[in-house]
Amino acid sequence: MSLLVEYRAFPSLLQIYLSAQMYDALDDLRAQGTARDDLYERFLEWARTGGAKG
């Protein structure tokens, strides 16, 4: 099931969930010494635009 479908009635909860996932990923990447500067786009921006790309 798509996260957009699952959280369609509660988009703010989707943002909270994705934020938590993003920070977990950031912690993992820091521990590995791997830098990424696109985590916001990968975890949050797509949900704000309804999954639309471009």
Side-chain angles (χ1 to χ4, degrees):
M1 176 181 283
S2 165
L3 288 173
L4 291 173
V5 172
E6 187 174 341
Y7 285 92
R8 75 178 154 249
F10 305 102
S12 59
L13 291 179
L14 176 58
Q15 293 295 318
I16 292 168
Y17 171 73
L18 292 174
S19 294
Q21 298 304 309
M22 182 183 73
Y23 282 105
D24 285 346
L26 182 59
D27 288 342
D28 291 345
L29 291 171
R30 282 185 181 154
Q32 296 172 8
T34 307
R36 289 206 66 122
D37 42 339
D38 65 342
L39 289 181
Y40 177 83
E41 290 82 8
R42 294 173 61 93
F43 281 86
L44 296 168
E45 185 63 30
W46 69 270
R48 290 185 187 274
T49 61
K53 292 186 178 187

